[in-house]
Amino acid sequence: MTFLVTGATGKAGRHVVDELLRDGQRVRALTRDPARANLPEGVEVVRGDLTDPATLGPAFEGVTGVHLLTVGGDDYATLRTGPELVELAEKAGVRRVTVLWNGKTGPVEEAFAASELEWTKLEPVDFMSNTLGWAAAVRTAGRVEEPFADVPSAIVHEADVGAVSARVLVEGGHGGRSYSLTGPETFTARQRLAALAQVLGRELEFVELTEEQARERWRTAGYAEELIDLLADWQGNPPPQAYTVVPTVERITGRPPHTFAQWATEHAAHFQPD
């Protein structure tokens, strides 16, 4: 069996690749820039863009399962190509699809829900790896500036998302289900920085931004307005799902989810002064 991983160089995608390789599966990785993919030996890297279905035909050929993103492009906008992706999957004889949502149901999920394909929606509440966005500020200034300092989130290790996706794709039997994916505990942004400081053995300062300051920073980073609205809503006024710990990771993978302390220890070098 061959499994196609879209977003293979991203936060979760790279871990889907690693999990499938550990399981002895053949992996094909989709990327817009194969020269910069830097994926493990044995991975078949193919060029393609989810925003342009005309580029994707060869990537889907002979594929059993697909790990699929719901955003694309430089601005991480919600994909509008759901019907075309379903058509490609059906034509290629794909049996299973995991769909990694971006915080809300969009055209990709709607298209797969209307199809006969076996598909599963994965809903990570927030990635621990988003903490890497603080790395430069922690290294150089020992302080972090973020909005919504005291809003809790059941953040999940991206490796756990990759492990769940790989198990669902290989084993099957999860069609039509939506899985909320969380870590073992909740953290606010302020608490996350305190936990990181403990791992690093340094004092770190948290400065809370207003929502408008955060929105302007996201605009400067090139985010689409749709994504900015989603980030502000999800971070500032999250639904209960975002801060409710659930046992999905352990139930599907057979092991407990990683803690944030584990993640911070693994990535400590990114936050140490140069």
Side-chain angles (χ1 to χ4, degrees), residues 38-264:
N38 192 30
L39 290 166
E41 185 178 352
V43 175
E44 178 190 359
V45 180
V46 296
R47 184 187 305 274
D49 188 338
L50 291 174
T51 67
D52 184 4
T55 67
L56 301 175
F60 277 79
E61 291 178 3
V63 166
T64 298
V66 180
H67 172 79
L68 186 62
L69 300 184
T70 56
V71 297
D74 293 332
D75 59 356
Y76 307 103
T78 299
L79 287 173
R80 307 295 176 187
T81 53
E84 293 88 346
L85 294 171
V86 166
E87 183 179 357
L88 283 165
E90 290 177 336
K91 183 178 179 180
V94 171
R95 293 169 54 192
R96 304 180 195 116
V97 180
T98 54
V99 176
L100 187 69
W101 81 329
N102 69 340
K104 66 177 182 179
T105 298
V108 173
E109 292 95 332
E110 291 167 356
F112 277 92
S115 76
E116 298 299 320
L117 291 164
E118 180 182 330
W119 76 288
T120 306
K121 183 164 65 169
L122 305 182
E123 302 177 350
V125 298
D126 193 8
F127 290 126
M128 292 180 183
S129 58
N130 287 334
T131 309
L132 289 171
W134 300 351
V138 169
R139 284 197 309 269
T140 59
R143 58 184 274 166
V144 165
E145 299 180 355
E146 289 291 331
F148 315 120
D150 300 306
V151 177
S153 175
I155 51 177
V156 63
H157 196 304
E158 53 277 12
D160 292 329
V161 179
V164 168
S165 182
R167 292 277 58 75
V168 168
L169 289 173
V170 172
E171 296 173 358
H174 301 270
R177 300 179 184 177
S178 297
Y179 290 136
S180 179
L181 304 178
T182 76
E185 55 199 335
T186 62
F187 279 88
T188 66
R190 197 188 306 274
Q191 289 170 335
R192 203 185 332 166
L193 186 65
L196 181 62
Q198 185 172 9
V199 168
L200 297 176
R202 298 172 55 196
E203 289 189 8
L204 301 175
E205 179 186 5
F206 192 99
V207 177
E208 186 170 15
L209 299 178
T210 66
E211 179 178 330
E212 189 48 48
Q213 287 173 323
R215 284 176 174 271
E216 186 56 36
R217 186 167 70 179
W218 292 328
R219 290 188 190 101
T220 302
Y223 291 2
E225 284 298 322
E226 179 185 37
L227 177 58
I228 291 172
D229 288 340
L230 179 63
L231 287 171
D233 188 48
W234 187 264
Q235 293 184 22
N237 186 32
Q241 175 185 357
Y243 51 81
T244 302
V245 172
V246 293
T248 312
V249 169
E250 185 166 9
R251 191 173 77 244
I252 293 178
T253 67
R255 58 163 177 75
H258 293 79
T259 66
F260 182 71
Q262 288 175 299
W263 184 93

Side-chain angles (χ1 to χ4, degrees), residues 3-9 12-23 25 27-30 39-40 43 67 162 166:
F3 294 91
L4 174 65
V5 180
T6 70
T9 61
R14 179 57 185 263
H15 290 282
V16 180
V17 169
D18 291 343
E19 288 288 337
L20 289 169
L21 289 176
R22 275 193 285 269
D23 198 50
Q25 306 296 333
V27 179
R28 182 179 297 162
L30 181 75
L39 290 166
V43 175
H67 172 79

